[in-house]
Amino acid sequence: MRILYHLPLSPYARKVRAVLAEKRLPFELRVEKVWERRPEYLELNPACTVPTLVEDNGLVIPDSAVICEYLEETYPDTGLLGRGPSERVETRRLVKWFDEKFAAEVTRNLLWEKTMKQALRLGAPDASALRAGYANLKQHLMYIGWLAEHRRWLGGANLSLADFAAAAMLSSIDFIGDVDWSLSPPAKEWYARMKSRPCFRSVLTDRVNGASPPPHYADLDF
Amino acid sequence: MRILYHLPLSPYARKVRAVLAEKRLPFELRVEKVWERRPEYLELNPACTVPTLVEDNGLVIPDSAVICEYLEETYPDTGLLGRGPSERVETRRLVKWFDEKFAAEVTRNLLWEKTMKQALRLGAPDASALRAGYANLKQHLMYIGWLAEHRRWLGGANLSLADFAAAAMLSSIDFIGDVDWSLSPPAKEWYARMKSRPCFRSVLTDRVNGASPPPHYADLDF
């Protein structure tokens, strides 16, 4: 059975879980506490990040972006990159936008400060980081709302990796109750559509040791 | 004519310049001072990073990773990603390694502290960042040396984007004289091979306002 090493709140692992489910590729989840730097895991993925995918034939694929490109090339039936060059450029541009820019401006400031930093006993959340995170999240929600108002899906006419990257990032922040969905009704409507997809169910029913998400978190009609 | 917006010391722009030249795709360079956040440039690339490529047909492609995937799909004659799935996974894994891990651990601590931070009048280089940068660079040189000793090119038997990503990062650090090549003879031998490729010549003959590289910088026999 295909194995995905992950952490429950990792947005990158959530993206890959949803993409695998959308492509109907069965897999088994294994939690990898990357901070323990397990030697066997370092051999699979020297960067020691999650996710890492291990295929039935033994092929090891580290990194969510590398995994998604691999899945597109290997299982092209449910294509998530778009058809022509301009669709594919726009999908990949938005994936990078969420994987890097949203992650640095929002996820690092909120999710890291509130969960990982505490779990690793690196001190209390930094107030200026939290302030920056909330201010940046507002801007990002506006941008997502703008995209959702002008296009059927974030990348264009079709569901794409851009939607998965954005929804994965938002779902992790939503788990800690930090998304004020009233800021952008079109972003909320788009996210409700993503939440209602079967591929997102397992991500939304995950629970993390000692932490509960807000009541609306997995509610499709929030 | 195809246009590439760049900054002379941006390793990401250097990677794309070398890849375009390796694929024999002519282009015109335009310097984009991203910190000025020029409205016309923000329309091309809302993340306001370099490089951005604009094709003759008007297609705009931001971000070096997005550009490289686009170039592979659109101009596959000189393929730089590898053939089978495992070669392509390894190439992309290493590109991410250099674009993200090397960048965060080395480039951010040395190139940013010594050039951009000063240019933007954000203060003197931080001594602890420089120390971390040099320590991390040593580890990265060892890893590059290990790869170069065990494979013909960094990703495997064939020249690939992994070599371009690594050489681009190193060339920017080498410009400010921070690479101690004596630390790893196999890394030095591999880099000499990269420097001798015609596609790297224009990158190495670049000069930056008021700054000169060390004497060995463009020397093929350093």
Side-chain angles (χ1 to χ4, degrees):
Chain A
M1 172 72 104
R2 187 180 285 117
I3 295 165
L4 186 72
Y5 292 89
H6 85 130
L7 282 167
L9 284 180
S10 158
Y12 303 104
R14 285 171 170 237
K15 177 179 64 175
V16 171
R17 290 166 66 182
V19 168
L20 284 166
E22 183 75 19
K23 287 179 177 281
R24 296 170 192 275
L25 298 169
F27 62 99
E28 190 184 293
L29 278 175
R30 296 226 184 126
V31 169
E32 183 64 38
K33 296 176 181 167
V34 291
W35 53 89
E36 293 179 353
R37 298 184 67 77
R38 197 164 58 86
E40 297 82 357
Y41 191 68
L42 280 164
E43 273 190 38
L44 297 181
N45 179 349
C48 206
T49 55
V50 281
T52 298
L53 183 70
V54 182
E55 283 277 43
D56 283 339
N57 63 9
L59 184 64
V60 178
I61 310 126
D63 189 284
S64 77
V66 179
I67 294 170
C68 288
E69 292 286 349
Y70 164 80
L71 292 175
E72 281 296 297
E73 290 178 349
T74 313
Y75 309 101
D77 277 358
T78 309
L80 293 173
L81 265 173
R83 285 180 201 108
S86 74
E87 271 186 37
R88 294 169 79 82
V89 164
E90 181 63 354
T91 301
R92 289 190 173 115
R93 177 186 79 80
L94 285 169
V95 170
K96 290 279 278 189
W97 179 277
F98 293 109
D99 280 2
E100 292 184 2
K101 197 170 167 66
F102 187 101
E105 294 174 353
V106 180
T107 312
R108 177 71 181 74
N109 286 322
L110 300 180
L111 193 68
W112 167 263
E113 290 289 332
K114 288 188 168 186
T115 63
M116 285 301 287
K117 202 171 154 184
Q118 268 182 298
L120 299 177
R121 294 166 200 262
L122 295 172
D126 179 72
S128 65
L130 296 179
R131 266 197 306 277
Y134 290 122
N136 294 334
L137 175 55
K138 191 173 167 181
Q139 295 304 316
H140 276 281
L141 274 178
M142 295 300 165
Y143 185 52
I144 291 167
W146 184 89
L147 291 171
E149 256 186 327
H150 289 79
R151 304 164 170 186
R152 177 150 170 70
W153 297 97
L154 298 192
N158 301 302
L159 177 76
S160 77
L161 281 179
D163 299 286
F164 287 91
M169 282 286 161
L170 279 168
S171 75
S172 295
I173 307 289
D174 202 31
F175 188 94
I176 56 171
D178 274 354
V179 184
D180 178 357
W181 290 104
S182 72
L183 286 169
S184 172
K188 182 179 173 179
E189 185 276 327
W190 159 82
Y191 189 60
R193 272 189 283 143
M194 287 304 289
K195 285 213 289 193
S196 70
R197 295 190 81 80
C199 71
F200 244 80
R201 294 315 296 164
S202 109
V203 169
L204 294 176
T205 51
D206 244 13
R207 289 299 169 264
V208 184
N209 282 353
S212 291
H216 74 261
Y217 171 74
D219 185 355
L220 301 186
D221 194 20
F222 62 118
Chain B
M1 172 72 103
R2 186 179 287 115
I3 296 166
L4 186 73
Y5 292 89
H6 85 129
L7 283 166
L9 284 180
S10 158
Y12 303 104
R14 285 171 169 236
K15 176 178 64 173
V16 171
R17 289 166 67 183
V19 167
L20 284 166
E22 182 75 18
K23 287 178 176 282
R24 296 170 192 276
L25 298 169
F27 60 100
E28 190 184 292
L29 279 174
R30 295 223 185 128
V31 168
E32 182 64 37
K33 296 176 180 168
V34 291
W35 53 89
E36 293 178 354
R37 297 185 67 79
R38 200 164 56 87
E40 297 83 357
Y41 191 69
L42 280 165
E43 274 189 38
L44 297 181
N45 179 350
C48 206
T49 54
V50 281
T52 298
L53 182 70
V54 182
E55 283 277 43
D56 282 339
N57 63 8
L59 183 65
V60 178
I61 309 124
D63 188 284
S64 76
V66 180
I67 294 170
C68 288
E69 292 286 349
Y70 164 80
L71 293 175
E72 281 296 298
E73 290 179 349
T74 314
Y75 309 101
D77 277 357
T78 310
L80 293 173
L81 265 173
R83 287 182 199 106
S86 73
E87 271 186 37
R88 295 169 81 82
V89 164
E90 182 63 355
T91 301
R92 288 189 173 115
R93 177 186 79 81
L94 285 169
V95 170
K96 290 280 278 190
W97 179 277
F98 293 108
D99 280 3
E100 293 185 1
K101 197 170 167 67
F102 187 103
E105 294 174 353
V106 179
T107 312
R108 177 73 183 70
N109 286 321
L110 300 181
L111 192 68
W112 167 262
E113 290 290 332
K114 288 188 168 186
T115 62
M116 286 299 287
K117 201 171 155 186
Q118 266 182 300
L120 299 177
R121 294 167 201 264
L122 295 173
D126 179 73
S128 65
L130 297 180
R131 266 197 307 277
Y134 290 122
N136 294 334
L137 175 55
K138 192 173 166 180
Q139 295 303 316
H140 276 281
L141 274 179
M142 294 301 164
Y143 185 53
I144 292 167
W146 185 89
L147 292 171
E149 257 187 326
H150 289 79
R151 304 164 170 187
R152 176 150 171 70
W153 297 97
L154 298 192
N158 301 302
L159 177 76
S160 78
L161 281 179
D163 300 286
F164 287 90
M169 281 287 161
L170 280 167
S171 75
S172 295
I173 307 290
D174 202 31
F175 188 93
I176 56 173
D178 274 354
V179 185
D180 178 357
W181 290 104
S182 71
L183 287 169
S184 173
K188 183 178 172 178
E189 185 276 328
W190 160 82
Y191 189 60
R193 273 189 282 144
M194 288 305 289
K195 285 213 289 193
S196 70
R197 294 190 82 79
C199 70
F200 244 80
R201 295 314 298 164
S202 110
V203 169
L204 295 175
T205 51
D206 244 14
R207 288 299 170 264
V208 184
N209 281 353
S212 291
H216 74 261
Y217 170 74
D219 185 353
L220 300 187
D221 193 20
F222 61 118

